[in-house]
Amino acid sequence: MRIILIGPPGAGKGTQAERLTKKHGIPAISTGDLFRARVKDPNDPLGLEIKAILDSGKLVPDEITVKMLAERLEKDDCKNGFILDGFPRSVSQAEALEKMLKEKNIKIDAVIQLKVDDKQLVDRISGRFSCSKCKAGYHDTAKQPVVAGVCDSCGAKDSFTRRADDNAETVKGRLNVFHTQTAPILPFYEARGLLKAVDGMAGMDEVTTQIESALTSNNGGSQLPPPKKFG
Ligand code: AMP
């Protein structure tokens, strides 16, 4: 199964991608994670260039992004499928992906859109942090660890970290980038009968249920009631 998750930053793509990975045994590929891994080496010039872009909240140029994604899709674990989280983020990337997959003679099965309310996203994102050891996610108000400073999942102490681009100012810029550059890919996939919308403001389990039901529906269109209107 080959799935694309689309939604603004903080919509819960990472959480849902992780759940899909566990259930379907296919890897979740986050271009944001690929970039964050690349910026770890302070002597890597490309890493430094990417870091400056990530900190600004803008999009990394297609030449870099598409190449990195293509290399990742070549790995063995992608043979039986994959979940894309954060790619494509523009029509040009969607076109590049379509071309790349056509050459491999494979197709995307579903594009899941997580619909969310912008106003709540800023709070959601600016409060989030995670364990650097096991990646478990937390939030200042919505989900604190049971014991302060200790990860509930792996027991690591003082391992919590926040993303540099998860501050209110950058988040607003990232939301703007989503609406101007990423949202135009929705009609692109709608036209191909692949787009399925789920209510990303629902509880995490409910969102997972909606995604699974969208994946089992097979007539190409959204099987869900029209998403709620926000704002
Ligand atoms: P994310 O972890 O998906 O929120 O991505 C973090 C940052 O990585 C974004 O704000 C962009 O700067 C960059 N990024 C991630 N995916 C892409 C992509 N497909 N195209 C361009 N830039 C990206």
Side-chain angles (χ1 to χ4, degrees):
M1 183 143 36
R2 295 172 189 94
I3 307 162
I4 296 176
L5 295 181
I6 299 177
K13 300 186 298 292
T15 304
Q16 296 301 331
E18 209 177 292
R19 290 176 170 210
L20 286 165
T21 289
K22 279 195 187 131
K23 172 141 200 237
H24 299 279
I26 48 176
I29 300 169
S30 148
T31 35
D33 280 350
L34 294 179
F35 291 138
R36 281 183 287 278
R38 182 80 202 218
V39 305
K40 282 196 177 131
D41 177 359
N43 299 315
D44 174 1
L46 180 60
L48 289 177
E49 192 187 323
I50 293 173
K51 184 178 182 323
I53 302 170
L54 260 55
D55 288 349
S56 75
K58 299 204 174 104
L59 292 187
V60 175
D62 281 0
E63 311 85 87
I64 303 174
T65 310
V66 173
K67 184 164 175 278
M68 267 196 184
L69 196 262
E71 281 171 10
R72 180 63 188 86
L73 290 183
E74 282 301 316
K75 301 230 161 105
D76 271 359
D77 62 343
C78 294
K79 284 210 172 96
N80 294 326
F82 48 77
I83 302 141
L84 294 183
D85 157 10
F87 186 97
R89 251 172 158 103
S90 63
V91 172
S92 61
Q93 291 184 5
E95 286 167 349
L97 178 67
E98 195 168 64
K99 184 163 171 268
M100 205 188 295
L101 297 184
K102 206 171 179 185
E103 280 161 13
K104 292 174 188 284
N105 211 14
I106 52 179
K107 279 188 177 158
I108 292 295
D109 297 293
V111 177
I112 306 287
Q113 177 194 7
L114 285 98
K115 298 198 91 170
V116 283
D117 171 7
D118 268 19
K119 283 180 228 125
Q120 286 191 37
L121 280 180
V122 179
D123 288 343
R124 246 199 212 185
I125 305 176
S126 16
R128 71 184 179 182
F129 60 98
S130 64
C131 171
S132 57
K133 299 267 176 342
C134 73
K135 307 272 176 264
Y138 296 90
H139 190 274
D140 289 333
T141 49
K143 193 190 170 208
Q144 293 181 343
V146 177
V147 179
V150 180
C151 177
D152 295 350
S153 297
C154 72
K157 283 191 189 141
D158 300 324
S159 63
F160 295 132
T161 173
R162 281 174 202 268
R163 281 173 47 172
D165 59 349
D166 273 354
N167 60 78
E169 212 40 53
T170 312
V171 169
K172 285 184 194 150
R174 285 160 65 203
L175 279 173
N176 187 36
V177 167
F178 175 80
H179 290 298
T180 54
Q181 291 176 260
T182 307
I185 66 179
L186 298 170
F188 178 94
Y189 286 118
E190 175 103 70
R192 284 152 179 79
L194 293 172
L195 190 67
K196 293 157 194 253
V198 303
D199 176 8
M201 298 311 290
M204 274 192 273
D205 292 345
E206 168 60 19
V207 177
T208 307
T209 305
Q210 289 193 17
I211 292 177
E212 290 301 336
S213 116
L215 293 177
T216 46
S217 68
N218 60 2
N219 76 348
S222 173
Q223 294 298 292
L224 297 161
K228 284 181 215 151
K229 293 226 182 326
F230 297 112

